[in-house]
Amino acid sequence: MSVSWPLSIILAGATLPWVCIVLGWRWSYYLITLASVVIALMYLPIEGRGYGGNAGGSLNLGLLRNSDVIVVSLSGFLFFMSYWTITLYAYKYFLSLGLNDYVAGFTYSLLALLGIPSTLVAGYIIRGLGVRGTLSLFEAIYGVLTILLSVVTRELPLMLLAAAMGFVRFVITPANSTAVSKIGGELAGSVTGIANLFWQLSGAVAPAVASIVLTRFGYQFLWIVMGAVIITSAVIYQLALKVR
């Protein structure tokens, strides 16, 4: 499942430019917002069959009383809100730096390309550092790398930065999934549904938040804000997540 995340970015790079050309750039954001809301709502009736979920197969909102469920939902929301902002705006930012279409597209793809091998070693990292350690450390690193987007503007360093972000990012994905499974136990289906509800809704919030920051302060400040949000998520994981 984790491999689907980097592949989804590659798919976005292949489809969203076409949407912008044919329908206009605003439609890419409309479609992403609509898809995020629809997918979030689809998690509400998630069934527990095959996941050790609750017997009734419905979402158990009572799990929101569990502090770890709240931490994973909130921290995940913050992280994915920033991540969707990077996904939506990175290519245009690369173009604004003067990179040509091909180089900008290649640099953008590096945000996901190294995610494929990183998912293969993520399990070893999670076993070594633990779930909390992996999430707090790698989110902190990813937050710093995001902030560096605001100051790294030369072509080759930018490619290296994007590649590093791709590798780190897709260690975080399986760590989130592992945290949910450990927290949920026999109710993993419901915990997954609750967490994904917040994670997917972040895709609906991200365009609005990012556009406000971008139009008022510019790209450099946008990356600083998003990096700070990711680091905040890492701190919450480190201080509040009980599962190890």
Side-chain angles (χ1 to χ4, degrees), residues 29 32-33 81 84-85 88-89 201-212:
Y29 300 105
I32 290 171
T33 298
M81 182 184 72
W84 287 123
T85 299
L88 290 171
Y89 286 98
L201 282 176
S202 69
V205 175
V209 173
S211 63
I212 292 172

Side-chain angles (χ1 to χ4, degrees), residues 16 19-21 23-30 89 92:
L16 291 182
V19 172
C20 292
I21 293 171
L23 301 176
W25 66 269
R26 288 183 176 84
W27 274 96
S28 62
Y29 300 105
Y30 296 154
Y89 286 98
K92 189 173 181 180

Side-chain angles (χ1 to χ4, degrees), residues 38-46 59 192-194 196-197 200:
V38 170
I39 293 172
L41 293 176
M42 288 173 63
Y43 278 107
L44 287 174
I46 190 171
L59 192 65
T192 300
I194 292 171
N196 274 289
L197 173 63
Q200 294 297 330

Side-chain angles (χ1 to χ4, degrees), residues 70-214:
I70 295 173
V71 169
V72 169
S73 299
L74 174 61
S75 293
F77 177 88
L78 294 174
F79 174 80
F80 285 113
M81 182 184 72
S82 300
Y83 168 71
W84 287 123
T85 299
I86 296 168
T87 302
L88 290 171
Y89 286 98
Y91 177 71
K92 189 173 181 180
Y93 173 63
F94 296 154
L95 290 176
S96 74
L97 294 176
L99 277 64
N100 63 47
D101 293 352
Y102 173 79
V103 174
F106 177 72
T107 305
Y108 180 83
S109 70
L110 289 175
L111 290 169
L113 192 59
L114 289 188
I116 296 175
S118 76
T119 57
L120 301 179
V121 300
Y124 299 101
I125 296 173
I126 295 169
R127 282 195 292 271
L129 298 177
V131 174
R132 185 177 67 185
T134 301
L135 285 171
S136 57
L137 175 61
F138 277 78
E139 283 200 4
I141 294 172
Y142 195 77
V144 172
L145 293 175
T146 301
I147 292 174
L148 287 177
L149 279 175
S150 65
V151 296
V152 177
T153 58
R154 296 179 60 186
E155 188 174 294
L156 181 57
L158 195 58
M159 289 181 181
L160 295 175
L161 176 60
M165 291 178 69
F167 184 89
V168 172
R169 161 70 184 87
F170 292 101
V171 172
I172 296 171
T173 298
N176 272 317
S177 300
T178 304
V180 167
S181 65
K182 283 194 171 186
I183 293 169
E186 294 183 354
L187 295 176
S190 283
V191 174
T192 300
I194 292 171
N196 274 289
L197 173 63
F198 288 94
W199 296 353
Q200 294 297 330
L201 282 176
S202 69
V205 175
V209 173
S211 63
I212 292 172
V213 176
L214 181 59

